[in-house]
Amino acid sequence: MSLAIFDLDNTLLSIDSDHAWGEFLLEQGAVDPVAYREANDRFLADYEAGTLDIHAFLEVVLRPLAENSPEQLAAWHQQFMASKIEPHILAKGEELVARHRTRGDTLMIVTATNRFITGPIAERLGVDHLIAVEPEVVDGRYTGRVTGTPSYREGKVKRLEAWLADKDLTLDDSWFYSDSHNDIPLLEIVEHPVAVDPDPSLREVAEARGWRIISLRD
């Protein structure tokens, strides 16, 4: 059994779903229109630069989950899927997932975006296995805290290794598709690393190491 792993944001999607969720909350009037927008944009820039403080980021972005009821969050997420996600699912990304599915590969998304946002997206894409940041839930409500290791940079490797150990599986004939230099630690440990519409830093590394480079954009 081969494992086909996909990053989500700017890989299978043409946007960053975490940033898009922040924009959606701003449109709903659910967060401070000045402070939250500044933080949302700054964290995206930090991520792209490779300087993101993941814990400071999560402290801000998980707070709205704690401040709103599960019912409100579910209603918002349904709107978010229709307005922000569905138009940005890349057709060639869906085709790539389908090719691995036809091969009989085990499909997985590994993302630094939290499970509240990405769980329904993975389901929409027909990907059964998801490693994502895990927001803490107590008595049916989000607390605004995170549980376990955030799946960011080396954290993606740690979380994947724990998943493999639990399933008694290996990375033999494994694939990983990503756009971001933040995912180099995970790209380095799979047999088939693939840079997808890579950022400049990842493109440089991929070219130097002979990794495959593809585009899923029209």
Side-chain angles (χ1 to χ4, degrees):
M1 181 188 68
S2 300
L3 186 60
I5 309 167
F6 305 89
D7 180 43
L8 180 64
D9 299 322
N10 290 306
T11 300
L12 298 179
L13 302 179
S14 63
I15 58 170
D16 183 290
S17 59
D18 232 335
H19 187 264
W21 172 250
E23 290 291 314
F24 177 83
L25 291 176
L26 285 160
E27 292 170 8
Q28 307 311 306
V31 289
D32 183 277
V34 176
Y36 199 90
R37 183 179 301 280
E38 186 277 331
N40 198 40
D41 292 344
R42 173 168 45 83
F43 285 134
L44 178 60
D46 288 348
Y47 174 82
E48 292 172 347
T51 59
L52 179 66
D53 181 334
I54 188 64
H55 295 287
F57 166 70
L58 291 174
E59 182 178 353
V60 172
V61 301
L62 296 183
R63 190 177 305 140
L65 300 186
E67 292 174 343
N68 292 278
S69 70
E71 294 76 17
Q72 179 64 81
L73 292 170
W76 276 340
H77 201 292
Q78 188 173 9
Q79 298 172 47
F80 171 70
M81 286 290 295
S83 65
K84 300 293 187 184
I85 298 301
E86 195 65 38
H88 294 284
I89 294 174
L90 292 167
K92 290 182 180 179
E94 288 197 278
E95 292 168 6
L96 177 63
V97 171
R99 286 200 296 274
H100 278 283
R101 185 181 296 112
T102 300
R103 276 172 39 106
D105 296 338
T106 297
L107 308 179
M108 172 182 282
I109 288 171
V110 180
T111 176
T113 302
N114 70 75
R115 183 175 292 273
F116 167 77
I117 294 173
T118 58
I121 302 174
E123 184 177 351
R124 161 64 180 81
L125 293 170
V127 177
D128 291 334
H129 302 287
L130 172 66
I131 291 176
V133 168
E134 298 290 348
E136 183 183 59
V137 178
V138 175
D139 296 331
R141 290 192 63 118
Y142 291 103
T143 67
R145 296 184 293 270
V146 65
T147 62
T149 300
S151 44
Y152 172 62
R153 293 181 64 91
E154 291 80 3
K156 285 190 174 184
V157 174
K158 182 176 180 178
R159 293 279 304 281
L160 176 61
E161 288 176 341
W163 185 88
L164 291 167
D166 182 64
K167 304 292 184 183
D168 196 25
L169 299 174
T170 71
L171 288 174
D172 292 347
D173 196 34
S174 56
W175 300 74
F176 181 41
Y177 298 87
S178 177
D179 72 293
S180 176
H181 67 280
N182 288 298
D183 286 336
I184 289 172
L186 183 47
L187 286 160
E188 288 177 328
I189 67 170
V190 298
E191 284 198 16
H192 306 286
V194 183
V196 181
D197 299 290
D199 62 38
S201 296
L202 176 56
R203 180 175 292 277
E204 182 178 354
V205 170
E207 289 175 348
R209 300 188 185 184
W211 294 349
R212 187 179 174 200
I213 301 173
I214 66 170
S215 177
L216 298 178
R217 312 271 177 147
D218 292 328

